[in-house]
Amino acid sequence: MTFPTKSLLSAPLSRRGWLAAAAGLCLGLSTFAPARAADDTIKIGILHSLSGTMAISETTLKDAMLMLIDEQNKKGGVLGKKLEAVVVDPASNWPLFAEKARELITKDKVSVVFGCWTSVSRKSVLPVFKELDSILFYPVQYEGEESERNVFYTGAAPNQQAIPAVDYLMNESGVERWVLAGTDYVYPRTTNKILEAYLKSKGVPAGDIMVNYTPFGFSDWQTEVSKIKTFGSAGKKTAVVSTINGDANVPFYKELGNQGIKATDIPVVAFSVGEEELAGLDTKPLVGHLAAWNYFESINTPANKAFIKAWHAFTKNPKRTTNDPMEAHYIGFNMWVKAVEKAKSFDPDKVIAALPGIKQANLTGGVSEMLPNHHITKPVFIGEIQADGQFNVVSPDDPKKARLVPGDAWSDYLPGSKDLESDWVKLKCGNYNKVTKKCGGQAS
Amino acid sequence: MKPFLLTGTLNRSATIFLAIVATAGVLLPALNLLTPDASALHVPTYLVSLFGKYVCYAILALSIDLIWGYCGILSLGHGAFFALGGYAMGMYLMRQIGTRGVYADPVLPDFMVFLNWKSLPWYWHGFDMFWFAALMVVLVPGLLAFCFGWLAFRSRVTGVYFSIITQAMTYALLLAFFRNDFGFGGNNGLTDFKDILGFNVQADGTRAALFAASCVALAASFLICRAVVDSKLGKVLVAIRDAESRTRFLGYRVESYKLFVFTLSACIAGVAGALYVPQVGIINPSEFAPANSIEAVIWVAVGGRGTLIGAALGAVVVNYAKTVFTSGPLAPYWLFLLGALFVLVTLLMPKGLLGTWHAWYGRRKPAPTAGATPSDETEFAGEIAKPHMAE
Amino acid sequence: MIPRLAVPLRVLSRALSLLAAIGLAAMIATATAARAGSFADAVALFAAGSFSDSADAVSQIETSGNPLALPIVNALHDGRLYADEASKTVVIKQPDGKVINAATGAPAAMPADAGVVRLNNKLRRRIAAALGSLTLLAADPETRIQAARAVYKSHDAAALPLVEAALRKETNAAAKNALGDARAAILLFKPDAAEADKLDAIATIGARGDQEALALLSSIPGNLSPAAAKSAQSAMQAIKSRLALWSMVQDAWYGLSLGSVLLLAAIGLAITFGVMGVINMAHGEMVMIGAYTTFVVQDIIRARYPAMFDYSLLIALPLAFLVAGLIGILIERSVIRFLYGRPLETLLATWGLSLILQQAVRTAFGPNNREVGNPSWMSGAFDLGHISITYNRLWILCFALATFAVLLAVLRFTRFGLEMRAVTQNRRMAAAMGIATSRVDALTFGLGSGIAGIAGVALSQIDNVSPNLGQSYIIDSFMVVVFGGVGNLWGTLVGAFSLGIANKFLEPFAGAVLGKIAILVLIILFIQKRPRGLFALKGRAVEA
């Protein structure tokens, strides 16, 4: 690269330069001009990362949404209007999530947005949805401690995943010693805090709980796994509760397999490992390790079979797996359709008012309901990893008769939130304090 | 190179640049606030925030160009100073939330409440006052840059070694800020801001004001950088860039010059970060990611290294391209486009956009002054270790 | 030891199925009618569908003495035991595909609605223990040792007479040893065992001195006599202090292993960046391409020639080298050759290339992780003293060193190496001597990229194979090269291993995150001390 001294000397910006600059600016602005939607289509925003670190999980959800919208259009759309998907790529970049959300709502005028995976992406778009008063369906299990008017949480709250899993290990396998291993971010932190409090309330001494955090994308698990091994050889039945996130899981399980930690010795129960993650692993050494979800591809119901079949046809790939967040989108999307039909309007305020109380059959044989706290009721399944990369449901005995657990936004096991309650129907408040009888978070 | 000739003519394009910034700073907010929504001239609020973001990136690019373009110091960790400034502002904004957080704790931010913290950590004190936070915006990045630079320049760490350790610095900070125990909200960072100086951050008026403030900051940073590079100090910096050892043998204290300009640059980056945070509404450790810092360097290269205007232009162009590419039918392929942009700019426009523009413009008009020849390739020798084993 | 269990159980069950097939006819003949009733009831429990019924069934069958017991438990373990809930029929599907009735051993047809009897971890543990006691008297000594180990783990008091009987008959020293341990373990947990027996047992277990022994000793039920409790305490103390020492060795091994990973990731960069001066941001993507080549090779092998799976990596190695190397040459010819002498432009262009390559792989293979399996010779672990060494880490260490040695040899002893050194040291002089410098440039870049590619083959064994793979190694790779000293291969070697070992010794104290931060800070401070890395080049190149 040479230094443009000569050219700078000879090139004072003239009137022509000014004109060019102005033209450029106008051109730039014009591409942002709101696209006017055709009157007979309703736009639906899809806000999932298609590149960057989260693409690995989120791309599938984009495809699932496209399929759901496609199927709805084949059924004649909603209220006589066709649906149109608007796909953007927030590129696993959190500020970009906020920017794209704003763009979807203001420029593309979408009626509803389905999106986000990580908690931070949700936190990043929250103010945008509040300010512009739109609707977000969030499909991923998360740490709870949140309930917003504009957000509908179709993934599991901690009481719909973590606590039932621990109960299972305690009762079925007689586990007495616990390793709470997680990636160092808010979901594992909160979940582990809740679990620690819960275990202590069940009489587990502090010495029998080991909490351990590792960074994102951690790949050298030798020391950590051997620590778990040592902790597990204190003579009591030990289990690992893993909130290890995405990318770090594959090397973690590979190391477990190689160091010979079998599920019969120290079972690992994971909350972020589903069919998708297992697809990248040789699961033979992992048979018997567990995962807790609200949906498993292997659950044999007519609805699920039809869904899987449609998915394979839509993606033209008979091997594509389905997973829990996809089912959450399935439930959320259908609930939204029903709410629009009930409200006879696409207006966000009316749809938000119509959503609580909407019931939608889930894929595992139950009927989920949108609760006043904007969370839904879900069944909880514990599955064991099988050699074919699928899960074998070990609890409840008959998956089709699983009890539905209502999602709890505010955990009863955290000192800060045990007095809080969320009810957008009667109280019109996401964080009502039962002791002070006040709704927090409002203008002081 | 004939610096004295440079000054006179460059002042002219500088004026034009400042005029554009000023026009944008007045026009955009005015069109946003004063025209009705339906008007063809109306600028929607999200565009104001979006351009505000670009302007902040432009300030960051200026700060990088100041050290890289004029002093040959390539920092691959400048995002760290940007993020630190952002965090300082974010902490102020967090303290402003007060009882409006979800747990309604008057002092502690929400994330501390659910991590069960009982009291505010010592380093969060004072951030409820704007003047203190504003001071920290400049002071914290400046201090870090000073300490870091003092160590590095004194022991004559140069070239690629310096670049890599700046990357190590930002990477270490990234890991540290990811830790929830560190007390900055971990991966979620700081978000859900309510007020700035008593105004609602989400109100159109505040956004417009923030945009205008960013434009003012851009103009001010530009003037500061301009003043530095036009002064005698600036000449020494260029001398260091082109032949560090020779400058040292001429009796200049090279490390003091480098340290000054590096610290100044970090302060400017901190200001950029502080303005960035209220406009995008979140500050999170991923701003420390080494990839972000590399990208910022690329903006400068795309715009034209060693031309302050080019750096600002590059930041806006690349980010604008990113905004356009990540929506619509191109969304799944935008990385191809961005990648191709970087490769093509390097191959076809080695002087960056501005340099190429000038070269093209200059060919059409005979050069008015003789004697100003482009410097040769050796100018870059100082900034990267000569990679070949011997020459 | 825990880690050894993976392979042996598989071996065990394979051996057992064979046994079962051969001896089946004889067994059926000797099955007594008297026992058939209760045995059939026990077998029918498998059809009840719940895990606890299945566990009961295993316990009853284990002690039934029926010759079908072993085939049934074995089939259950392998997932070949089918049950029909409605008709309460339980059948075994033999490895050869034939179906027999589990209760009688008579040939049968597969019931229409039969499903595999489901397992959970509790049941799996029960099965392992049952298989242990059922095979204590097997003909093969290795099977007997495994059986004894299984009993040792389960320390089920019911197996004591069996163990003692086996111990009396045993002639194989290793098997005798294992049986002795099993007996001691049972006695430890037997509440009514004699005091002397308990003391003996504590001594026996204590002598094992490993993690598992410690676990066993610390979980002895509380009714110990003071003397026994005291000796258990001191045995535990002894084990603990010995293990503390061993943990140092373990950390060192982990450090070596991490170092080898760093070395592999960095060694290609040591060529493209260290020797050629290209700030090669697309280096990580070359590693990724190597990993994806491995995936493609394994995919084809899985589909067409499953028997060759163990050789998949050997096939992938040269292919990965070629694929990554050719892409490297392509990049060099089309982009980088225009940028020599302007290293920062190479940063910009290769960053753009890395984005393109990432997205290309994402488009071609999808954004998800791809499964790359470990061949059998890279699975599992073995014990060296009291540390367990996993085969895949060991092979990667060997492989990293071998790659390094070969690369060094190529540079030192081949004509290409000579030309490469000549060109990088003095391009003009080399050209004057008749070396085609641009060809050498292309080949050098190809070599660096190819080596990154074969690193990808190795890293696919321990990490995600996803489009993000390269990104996670690029920073570490640059750190290693710069720490070791740019342009010096030995520096890269020493740098990689010292960073790896330092990291692993810090990790137990500081935790994974702080450990890593500490390493980064150390690198920053170290560069202050030695501004040109560990092995600085001397000569005119230094002051550029």
Side-chain angles (χ1 to χ4, degrees):
Chain A
M1 177 160 156
T2 50
F3 222 54
T5 32
K6 178 179 174 186
S7 38
L8 271 182
L9 280 169
S10 56
L13 226 67
S14 66
R15 212 173 298 131
R16 222 187 312 165
W18 271 99
L19 279 176
L25 194 69
C26 289
L27 199 73
L29 284 172
S30 64
T31 55
F32 289 103
R36 301 265 172 255
D39 284 342
D40 52 345
T41 62
I42 286 297
K43 291 191 172 180
I44 293 182
I46 302 176
L47 186 64
H48 284 301
S49 300
L50 311 179
S51 56
T53 49
M54 289 313 295
I56 196 167
S57 308
E58 292 191 64
T59 312
T60 308
L61 292 186
K62 178 213 68 175
D63 293 340
M65 277 314 297
L66 290 178
M67 174 179 92
L68 291 169
I69 292 170
D70 194 48
E71 286 190 337
Q72 190 65 34
N73 279 337
K74 281 187 195 144
K75 284 187 241 162
V78 184
L79 294 183
K81 297 197 177 187
K82 291 275 178 206
L83 303 176
E84 182 192 340
V86 183
V87 180
V88 292
D89 177 14
S92 313
N93 175 333
W94 321 131
L96 203 58
F97 264 91
E99 183 189 316
K100 290 289 160 194
R102 201 171 272 280
E103 190 185 310
L104 282 174
I105 301 166
T106 14
K107 190 181 127 195
D108 297 311
K109 314 261 182 233
V110 298
S111 302
V112 59
V113 176
F114 291 82
C116 298
W117 182 289
T118 56
S119 282
V120 54
S121 65
R122 190 188 68 251
K123 293 268 183 213
S124 167
V125 301
L126 256 186
V128 178
F129 279 90
K130 278 199 272 186
E131 180 196 340
L132 303 172
D133 196 23
S134 187
I135 305 173
L136 171 71
F137 276 87
Y138 176 68
V140 183
Q141 87 281 11
Y142 84 119
E143 66 278 2
E145 303 300 295
E146 189 182 295
S147 174
E148 294 288 346
R149 195 181 91 91
N150 303 87
V151 184
F152 291 86
Y153 307 83
T154 50
N159 72 320
Q160 291 172 305
Q161 200 183 15
I163 289 183
V166 167
D167 275 339
Y168 170 81
L169 285 175
M170 221 183 294
N171 301 332
E172 297 288 313
S173 300
V175 172
E176 298 169 288
R177 217 164 142 82
W178 303 85
V179 181
L180 309 181
T183 302
D184 190 4
Y185 73 110
V186 63
Y187 169 66
R189 285 265 173 187
T190 319
T191 307
N192 288 344
K193 278 229 172 323
I194 293 171
L195 288 181
E196 233 183 310
Y198 180 72
L199 289 173
K200 282 180 183 155
S201 78
K202 294 275 173 183
V204 178
D208 281 347
I209 303 173
M210 175 170 104
V211 187
N212 185 21
Y213 293 106
T214 40
F216 279 96
F218 192 60
S219 63
D220 197 275
W221 284 94
Q222 303 181 84
T223 311
E224 305 300 323
V225 167
S226 90
K227 241 198 238 167
I228 291 172
K229 219 161 141 183
T230 315
F231 187 80
S233 55
K236 289 180 180 167
K237 182 76 194 151
T238 307
V240 179
V241 179
S242 152
T243 38
I244 295 162
N245 170 278
D247 270 4
N249 272 309
V250 172
F252 173 62
Y253 279 104
K254 281 190 175 170
E255 192 67 39
L256 275 184
N258 279 322
Q259 291 209 20
I261 296 191
K262 301 209 16 162
T264 42
D265 306 319
I266 302 178
V268 177
V269 58
F271 304 146
S272 316
V273 177
E275 290 85 352
E276 246 336 77
E277 283 75 15
L278 290 188
L281 270 168
D282 175 15
T283 48
K284 277 171 221 90
L286 306 178
V287 169
H289 286 306
L290 305 148
W293 288 105
N294 311 106
Y295 166 88
F296 282 113
E297 186 176 357
S298 61
I299 292 175
N300 200 356
T301 63
N304 194 22
K305 271 188 192 157
F307 183 75
I308 295 169
K309 206 176 144 204
W311 174 241
H312 289 167
F314 182 79
T315 55
K316 300 187 183 70
N317 179 355
K319 281 186 191 161
R320 274 292 274 274
T321 52
T322 58
N323 63 15
D324 182 276
M326 276 173 68
E327 192 224 15
H329 260 343
Y330 168 84
I331 299 172
F333 178 75
N334 283 303
M335 282 183 166
W336 176 78
V337 169
K338 285 184 180 172
V340 168
E341 280 163 354
K342 184 175 155 200
K344 298 196 177 54
S345 161
F346 292 97
D347 180 62
D349 280 335
K350 290 183 185 149
V351 177
I352 290 174
L355 265 164
I358 296 278
K359 292 196 168 110
Q360 165 63 37
N362 55 37
L363 294 175
T364 52
V367 177
S368 290
E369 183 186 348
M370 180 59 73
L371 302 169
N373 64 4
H374 288 189
H375 290 62
I376 66 173
T377 59
K378 303 193 113 187
V380 187
F381 305 111
I382 316 289
E384 274 188 3
I385 297 175
Q386 289 180 307
D388 61 357
Q390 287 288 333
F391 288 89
N392 166 27
V393 176
V394 291
S395 162
D397 270 343
D398 184 0
K400 279 160 234 166
K401 292 183 197 133
R403 191 174 65 88
L404 286 136
V405 181
D408 188 7
W410 303 101
S411 175
D412 301 337
Y413 295 97
L414 292 179
S417 67
K418 62 180 192 291
D419 297 330
L420 296 180
E421 182 185 354
S422 160
D423 186 339
W424 290 103
V425 176
K426 287 198 205 97
L427 300 169
K428 307 262 179 233
C429 177
N431 48 345
Y432 181 80
N433 192 317
K434 286 177 273 187
V435 178
T436 60
K437 308 261 179 232
K438 263 196 220 149
C439 184
Q442 307 291 307
S444 46
Chain B
M1 199 177 289
K2 302 263 168 65
F4 52 91
L5 279 176
L6 239 141
T7 340
T9 42
L10 264 187
N11 267 345
R12 194 151 159 203
S13 41
T15 332
I16 293 165
F17 173 74
L18 289 173
I20 294 180
V21 173
T23 320
V26 175
L27 203 62
L28 239 63
L31 289 178
N32 172 243
L33 295 175
L34 303 179
T35 57
D37 274 5
S39 156
L41 285 173
H42 180 71
V43 175
T45 309
Y46 89 94
L47 273 193
V48 176
S49 299
L50 193 60
F51 280 101
K53 192 170 99 172
Y54 295 166
V55 173
C56 295
Y57 285 149
I59 303 174
L60 174 62
L62 271 187
S63 76
I64 292 174
D65 198 25
L66 177 66
I67 52 168
W68 183 33
Y70 292 90
C71 193
I73 306 170
L74 176 62
S75 162
L76 291 180
H78 238 52
F81 304 123
F82 180 81
L84 284 174
Y87 264 99
M89 177 56 87
M91 286 159 82
Y92 162 73
L93 294 168
M94 283 311 266
R95 296 293 306 271
Q96 293 305 299
I97 296 174
T99 56
R100 286 167 295 176
V102 292
Y103 300 107
D105 191 298
V107 181
L108 295 184
D110 285 342
F111 71 87
M112 290 189 194
V113 179
F114 80 53
L115 286 179
N116 237 343
W117 291 22
K118 297 291 172 241
S119 62
L120 211 58
W122 59 267
Y123 44 84
W124 272 78
H125 287 284
F127 279 93
D128 46 340
M129 293 166 286
F130 184 77
W131 66 266
F132 182 80
L135 192 68
M136 288 299 139
V137 162
V138 184
L139 219 58
V140 173
L143 205 66
L144 176 67
F146 183 82
C147 297
F148 190 86
W150 188 73
L151 280 170
F153 298 135
R154 204 187 38 137
S155 28
R156 300 192 189 171
V157 181
T158 53
V160 76
Y161 292 90
F162 184 82
S163 303
I164 299 293
I165 61 168
T166 49
Q167 202 163 41
M169 173 192 76
T170 192
Y171 190 46
L173 282 169
L174 168 83
L175 292 172
F177 273 76
F178 261 133
R179 277 171 58 84
N180 277 278
D181 295 338
F182 210 58
F184 293 99
N187 179 43
N188 275 11
L190 311 175
T191 177
D192 206 14
F193 309 130
K194 311 279 186 206
D195 286 347
I196 180 166
L197 291 170
F199 299 101
N200 181 357
V201 277
Q202 289 182 348
D204 285 0
T206 320
R207 286 182 184 281
L210 280 168
F211 176 77
S214 307
C215 287
V216 171
L218 176 61
S221 324
F222 178 76
L223 287 174
I224 293 174
C225 294
R226 192 76 265 161
V228 168
V229 297
D230 279 348
S231 65
K232 178 166 174 277
L233 171 83
K235 307 297 170 287
V236 178
L237 293 180
V238 174
I240 293 172
R241 178 192 73 192
D242 292 344
E244 182 168 339
S245 309
R246 207 179 299 174
T247 316
R248 183 175 284 122
F249 298 144
L250 285 173
Y252 290 102
R253 296 190 55 128
V254 167
E255 45 291 341
S256 311
Y257 283 93
K258 280 182 154 183
L259 188 56
F260 167 76
V261 75
F262 188 62
T263 309
L264 176 68
S265 162
C267 294
I268 295 175
V271 172
L275 286 163
Y276 170 83
V277 168
Q279 299 192 69
V280 300
I282 184 169
I283 176 78
N284 151 286
S286 60
E287 299 295 337
F288 286 105
N292 281 23
S293 298
I294 294 174
E295 254 194 68
V297 170
I298 285 174
W299 305 336
V300 177
V302 167
R305 180 190 160 207
T307 61
L308 291 170
I309 301 173
L313 183 75
V316 175
V317 166
V318 174
N319 281 293
Y320 174 72
K322 222 169 156 177
T323 304
V324 174
F325 292 163
T326 47
S327 301
L330 288 179
Y333 309 104
W334 74 276
L335 278 177
F336 286 127
L337 295 171
L338 200 69
L341 175 77
F342 295 158
V343 175
L344 291 179
V345 162
T346 347
L347 284 183
L348 306 178
M349 296 192 269
K351 296 168 189 168
L353 291 175
L354 202 69
T356 309
W357 161 265
H358 285 310
W360 173 73
Y361 202 83
R363 255 207 310 277
R364 299 179 41 149
K365 250 192 196 173
T369 43
T373 51
S375 54
D376 62 16
E377 303 281 337
T378 56
E379 61 171 316
F380 284 89
E383 112 251 336
I384 223 82
K386 201 71 167 198
H388 301 280
M389 280 174 171
E391 186 79 20
Chain C
M1 271 304 277
I2 299 169
R4 301 217 48 168
L5 218 72
V7 181
L9 262 186
R10 218 181 299 148
V11 174
L12 180 69
S13 61
R14 218 177 281 154
L16 289 178
S17 2
L18 204 68
L19 255 175
I22 298 166
L24 201 65
M27 288 179 193
I28 296 163
T30 52
T32 55
R35 268 175 173 169
S38 63
F39 183 71
D41 289 346
V43 171
L45 278 176
F46 283 119
S50 85
F51 295 122
S52 55
D53 284 331
S54 297
D56 282 352
V58 172
S59 302
Q60 290 181 28
I61 289 169
E62 181 193 350
T63 50
S64 69
N66 190 303
L68 273 169
L70 187 54
I72 290 175
V73 177
N74 213 10
L76 183 62
H77 175 263
D78 292 353
R80 292 185 285 106
L81 192 68
Y82 291 76
D84 175 33
E85 256 180 74
S87 64
K88 300 277 171 218
T89 341
V90 180
V91 297
I92 299 172
K93 191 175 174 193
Q94 301 282 48
D96 56 9
K98 286 186 189 131
V99 177
I100 59 166
N101 186 305
T104 62
M110 177 70 73
D113 296 333
V116 176
V117 176
R118 294 190 306 155
L119 300 179
N120 67 0
N121 286 328
K122 210 171 171 180
L123 198 50
R124 276 192 200 97
R125 281 197 293 278
R126 194 67 214 78
I127 293 170
L131 277 178
S133 61
L134 283 172
T135 52
L136 273 175
L137 299 171
D140 175 31
E142 186 56 28
T143 315
R144 291 201 300 273
I145 293 173
Q146 295 312 326
R149 291 232 168 94
V151 174
Y152 172 77
K153 267 178 93 73
S154 70
H155 46 77
D156 180 3
L160 185 60
L162 212 58
V163 171
E164 285 178 333
L167 200 55
R168 275 193 295 274
K169 271 199 261 171
E170 189 58 67
T171 49
N172 181 301
K176 211 173 176 111
N177 212 348
L179 280 168
D181 285 352
R183 178 173 175 270
I186 296 174
L187 285 174
L188 266 187
F189 282 79
K190 202 163 175 269
D192 53 352
E195 175 74 18
D197 279 348
K198 285 222 165 181
L199 282 173
D200 269 358
I202 289 169
T204 313
I205 303 288
R208 282 181 61 113
D210 57 8
Q211 200 71 253
E212 227 175 309
L214 188 62
L216 218 53
L217 286 172
S218 52
S219 58
I220 305 175
N223 53 359
L224 277 185
S225 68
K230 198 168 162 237
S231 83
Q233 272 307 325
S234 62
M236 275 159 66
Q237 268 315 322
I239 296 177
K240 270 184 195 157
S241 54
R242 186 150 19 133
L243 286 182
L245 259 171
W246 275 103
S247 86
M248 297 276 286
V249 182
Q250 179 105 55
D251 284 340
W253 160 249
Y254 288 159
L256 280 178
S257 158
L258 177 62
S260 67
V261 169
L262 289 175
L263 177 64
L264 266 179
I267 195 166
L269 194 69
I271 305 264
T272 53
F273 170 57
V275 177
M276 294 184 75
V278 175
I279 305 185
N280 184 11
M281 284 293 174
H283 169 73
E285 277 57 44
M286 296 298 159
V287 177
M288 173 189 75
I289 285 169
Y292 271 92
T293 310
T294 319
F295 163 70
V296 172
V297 167
Q298 286 203 349
D299 212 38
I300 293 171
I301 286 181
R302 266 199 207 103
R304 307 252 174 90
Y305 321 99
M308 302 261 292
F309 190 76
D310 276 355
Y311 304 100
S312 58
L313 291 191
L314 296 180
I315 300 167
L317 274 180
L319 280 175
F321 183 81
L322 281 178
V323 172
L326 285 176
I327 293 179
I329 290 178
L330 193 72
I331 289 175
E332 202 275 345
R333 286 290 89 186
S334 61
V335 177
I336 290 171
R337 73 175 161 133
F338 301 109
L339 305 172
Y340 284 119
R342 305 191 309 224
L344 284 162
E345 261 80 348
T346 62
L347 166 91
L348 179 67
T350 51
W351 179 257
L353 285 169
S354 91
L355 295 183
I356 293 174
L357 287 172
Q358 260 178 58
Q359 194 64 14
V361 167
R362 199 172 276 138
T363 314
F365 293 94
N368 302 43
N369 284 328
R370 291 287 146 185
E371 180 191 339
V372 173
N374 289 1
S376 62
W377 47 274
M378 276 184 88
S379 308
F382 67 95
D383 291 334
L384 189 77
H386 287 299
I387 63 171
S388 80
I389 289 177
T390 54
Y391 283 107
N392 66 349
R393 298 274 176 184
L394 183 66
W395 280 113
I396 286 176
L397 176 65
C398 298
F399 179 67
L401 292 174
T403 310
F404 182 79
V406 168
L407 183 63
L408 220 55
V410 166
L411 289 188
R412 192 87 188 77
F413 301 116
T414 66
R415 176 157 184 88
F416 167 57
L418 184 72
E419 289 180 353
M420 192 178 127
R421 280 179 292 144
V423 170
T424 49
Q425 280 170 14
N426 194 331
R427 175 176 299 273
R428 259 175 272 177
M429 186 62 86
M433 304 294 276
I435 294 174
T437 53
S438 70
R439 192 182 59 100
V440 172
D441 283 336
L443 288 179
T444 311
F445 198 82
L447 176 70
S449 303
I451 286 175
I454 59 174
V457 178
L459 295 183
S460 74
Q461 292 298 306
I462 50 168
D463 209 338
N464 291 294
V465 178
S466 79
N468 303 330
L469 171 72
Q471 290 289 300
S472 48
Y473 286 103
I474 187 78
I475 294 177
D476 284 338
S477 306
F478 270 102
M479 296 296 159
V480 167
V481 175
V482 165
F483 178 74
V486 176
N488 189 318
L489 283 182
W490 285 102
T492 306
L493 178 83
V494 177
F497 281 109
S498 31
L499 289 184
I501 291 172
N503 198 339
K504 282 300 166 189
F505 272 98
L506 277 170
E507 202 176 306
F509 307 107
V513 189
L514 282 183
K516 182 111 196 185
I517 295 175
I519 287 289
L520 290 168
V521 173
L522 282 179
I523 292 179
I524 293 175
L525 293 177
F526 177 83
I527 294 292
Q528 320 294 335
K529 275 274 148 230
R530 293 185 72 102
R532 302 260 156 202
L534 209 51
F535 290 77
L537 285 179
K538 293 182 180 68
R540 285 178 59 197
V542 175
E543 270 297 295

